[in-house]
Amino acid sequence: MGFMSDAPGPLIPPSRTETDAMIRVDQAGEYGATRIYAGQLAILGDRHPASRAIARMAAQEKNHLDRFNALMTERRVRPTLLAPVWHVAGHALGAVTALISPEAAMACTAAVETEIDRHYEDQRRTLGSNDPKLGQMIAEFQAEEVEHRETALAAGAERAPAYPLLSAVIRLGCRTAIAVSRRI
């Protein structure tokens, strides 16, 4: 990515290649999020008290995914080649955390959204005012991701078994997925 600093905008505007990579990784992340929530709902069903919040967050992630899909088509950005991996891995992560406990499912959401908040903030800083459409989408989605994290924390994420370890492992997985989806 372009050089980042604490200044309001980037010192070097991102190249088309860098902007394409942002869109590719964001679309992959939103796809992964829809799969995580699908896995959680497959285990918890629609009658569990956490299911309503999960379904609401899933609907927002689906909206994010649809909008990134449209942007990819508009700008002719190729998707990540890892979509089949994220399809399986996302669903498995959601299902496994829901099998552990509803609090573990919420811990998964809190961990993922913590990393996505950081990721989107870095992207906004890198973009500065150079791509207002993408910057606005990212800002809008970032606000909803923060809301998802807060919802998960309020629903008991920190009460999940081995929360610090679970959160750290999921956050590392997110950072890894972001890094590889950017290029592959």
Side-chain angles (χ1 to χ4, degrees):
M1 293 239 167
F3 179 78
M4 288 187 271
S5 72
D6 290 333
L11 297 177
I12 302 169
S15 69
R16 167 74 196 261
T17 302
E18 290 172 317
T19 303
D20 285 359
M22 286 181 189
I23 295 167
R24 178 175 24 267
V25 74
D26 292 351
Q27 187 271 351
E30 298 299 348
Y31 178 65
T34 65
R35 297 300 299 149
I36 290 169
Y37 288 129
Q40 291 174 344
L41 290 170
I43 299 303
L44 296 175
D46 61 0
R47 294 177 189 237
H48 191 280
S51 297
R52 174 175 268 153
I54 292 170
R56 184 183 56 75
M57 292 184 289
Q60 287 178 315
E61 299 294 357
K62 174 73 168 80
N63 176 55
H64 299 177
L65 176 61
D66 290 345
R67 289 182 55 197
F68 271 118
N69 284 341
L71 189 61
M72 289 179 78
T73 299
E74 175 187 314
R75 295 190 183 187
R76 298 181 179 192
V77 175
R78 73 162 178 81
T80 179
L81 300 174
L82 297 172
V85 173
W86 303 150
H87 180 83
V88 173
H91 195 274
L93 177 60
V96 166
T97 56
L99 281 168
I100 294 170
S101 71
E103 292 81 11
M106 290 299 173
C108 176
T109 296
V112 168
E113 302 301 19
T114 295
E115 286 306 314
I116 299 309
D117 178 32
R118 288 182 56 220
H119 169 72
Y120 277 161
E121 186 60 33
D122 288 346
Q123 285 186 336
R124 288 179 52 223
R125 208 173 290 133
T126 298
L127 283 171
S129 61
N130 290 298
D131 190 332
K133 181 177 181 176
L134 180 57
Q136 178 57 39
M137 276 180 66
I138 290 171
E140 178 186 331
F141 297 168
Q142 181 182 16
E144 289 181 353
E145 307 299 7
V146 168
E147 178 188 314
H148 297 172
R149 180 182 62 219
E150 296 306 314
T151 297
L153 291 170
E158 295 171 313
R159 293 191 310 266
Y163 174 75
L165 177 61
L166 181 63
S167 179
V169 168
I170 293 169
R171 289 181 66 185
L172 176 61
C174 287
R175 289 190 301 271
T176 302
I178 288 167
V180 297
S181 290
R182 191 173 278 136
R183 299 196 190 326
I184 299 175

